[in-house]
Amino acid sequence: MSAVAAPDGRPGVDSSAEALDAYSLTVTTVAERLLASVANVRVERQTRRGPAIGAGSAVVIAPGGYLLTSAHVVQRSRGGSVGFGDGRELRFTVVGRDPLSDLAVLGAEGRDLIAAELGEASALRVGQLVVAIGNPNGFGGSVTAGVVSGLGRSLPVGSRGGPQRLVENVIQTDAALNPGNSGGALADGRGRVVGINTAVAGIGLGLAVPINDATRAIVAALIRDGRVDRAQVGIAAAPAPLPPAIARRLGRDRGIAVLSVIEGGPADRAGVRTGDVLVGVEGQALADATDLQRLMVGERIGRPLRATVLRAGSLSDVTIVPTPLGVD
């Protein structure tokens, strides 16, 4: 430890070594706690050119053999193998996959796996230390560290030509992520998994699906049913300003404009037209498409919804009966 000059000219103590030691202690402690719970994933899938092997990461969430990973890691696959730091290689099957949250649950043959503790992403703060553990480029058990660079991001997911959705409250981090990190753990300084790494958006910009109440409900549905049921009303929509008189009346200045209506879909049958503006559903305000998306849970399927529509300067109510959202 070296002496340095304090602002008043008196000798001081250089605490950089101590700071580095504290930082290192946190990262190494998290790594030691989680490395046994993060698996390397080898995915067997069939392509047009024949069998192929993909790679990713997964996090053990139950000692009985359940692991959590990214849905895109096991796309077009029914199984493969997971490898652990102790040398074990276990076969797995895909228990359930949800492309619209980019989450999937795997079932492995092992019965004595070490489960990670799941944390709560809503407690994160920008600038907070996070540690990423996964299988980047095939290098199993790799550990990187950084900070939470941003919160409340949105991640578009879904298939081309099929249903698409925004995953909300995505975590942005500068912890180094590379191909193969997807499905791995993003942990806080206490070793609790607060996110599942899902995408590399650029140099120094990684994204993770948050662990929160919505995530837990999705995981429970995947384990129980192998799928996540969602409702749909059959429109494409975007935010739109409300006319001043309507904005004053409602006490808000935005709704969602209907850009297109699926022929024969729930909204079409209810009389909703392209150009209408939806301002509320069941008394809840709609300011952007994610507000409507948030309401489209499985329990809404087949249950009439009262929607308030602005058309030609007038407000009126229509009844829409959502149908199941089909996902490949």
Side-chain angles (χ1 to χ4, degrees):
M1 188 174 297
S2 59
V4 295
D8 60 3
R10 294 178 298 175
V13 177
D14 183 357
S15 62
S16 60
E18 292 181 355
L20 178 61
D21 285 346
Y23 175 88
S24 299
L25 179 61
T26 299
V27 176
T28 55
T29 300
V30 171
E32 289 167 359
R33 182 173 182 180
L34 277 179
L35 277 170
S37 302
V38 180
N40 308 325
V41 179
R42 284 173 55 85
V43 181
E44 300 165 2
R45 56 170 59 100
Q46 191 68 32
T47 69
R48 294 178 181 177
R49 298 181 180 180
I53 299 294
S57 308
V59 180
V60 178
I61 57 173
Y66 287 123
L67 297 93
L68 184 59
T69 188
S70 298
H72 71 266
V73 168
V74 291
Q75 186 177 12
R76 296 188 301 274
S77 174
R78 293 185 177 179
S81 63
V82 287
F84 293 88
D86 60 6
R88 282 188 295 174
E89 192 90 7
L90 304 175
R91 298 292 300 173
F92 76 82
T93 57
V94 179
V95 174
R97 178 175 167 272
D98 181 39
L100 297 185
S101 65
D102 198 22
L103 293 173
V105 173
L106 314 180
E109 296 174 345
R111 291 295 176 267
D112 56 350
L113 304 181
I114 300 173
E117 179 185 355
L118 299 184
E120 177 53 60
S122 64
L124 291 174
R125 299 173 62 184
V126 173
Q128 182 174 338
L129 171 69
V130 284
V131 178
I133 302 177
N135 180 34
N137 297 314
F139 294 100
S142 294
V143 177
T144 58
V147 299
V148 175
S149 304
L151 294 167
R153 308 304 194 206
S154 296
L155 175 70
V157 293
S159 58
R160 289 183 179 179
Q164 295 191 335
R165 187 173 181 268
L166 290 176
V167 179
E168 298 180 80
N169 298 317
V170 169
I171 305 162
Q172 178 188 335
T173 178
D174 67 350
L177 301 178
N178 290 285
N181 268 116
S182 287
L186 187 72
D188 64 15
R190 294 177 60 182
R192 299 170 299 191
V193 177
V194 291
I196 299 297
N197 298 318
T198 187
V200 181
I203 297 175
L205 202 167
L207 301 174
V209 174
I211 299 295
N212 52 28
D213 289 344
T215 304
R216 290 181 172 86
I218 288 169
V219 171
L222 291 175
I223 292 174
R224 183 183 64 246
D225 304 321
R227 67 183 190 279
V228 177
D229 292 328
R230 292 187 177 87
Q232 63 153 345
V233 296
I235 64 170
L242 297 177
I246 298 295
R248 287 193 296 270
R249 178 176 167 184
L250 297 177
R252 55 183 185 273
D253 59 4
R254 300 183 73 78
I256 57 173
V258 177
L259 304 180
S260 64
V261 180
I262 296 175
E263 186 176 354
D268 185 33
R269 292 195 296 270
V272 176
R273 304 173 189 170
T274 300
D276 288 348
V277 178
L278 295 181
V279 298
V281 171
E282 292 294 304
Q284 299 188 48
L286 301 178
D288 60 45
T290 58
D291 290 334
L292 179 60
Q293 171 185 294
R294 198 177 296 115
L295 295 171
M296 293 296 100
V297 295
E299 291 77 8
R300 297 282 189 183
I301 296 171
R303 298 176 59 182
L305 295 178
R306 179 176 56 84
T308 303
V309 177
L310 173 65
R311 179 186 299 165
S314 298
L315 295 172
S316 61
D317 288 341
V318 298
T319 299
I320 305 175
V321 181
T323 57
L325 174 65
V327 180
D328 294 333

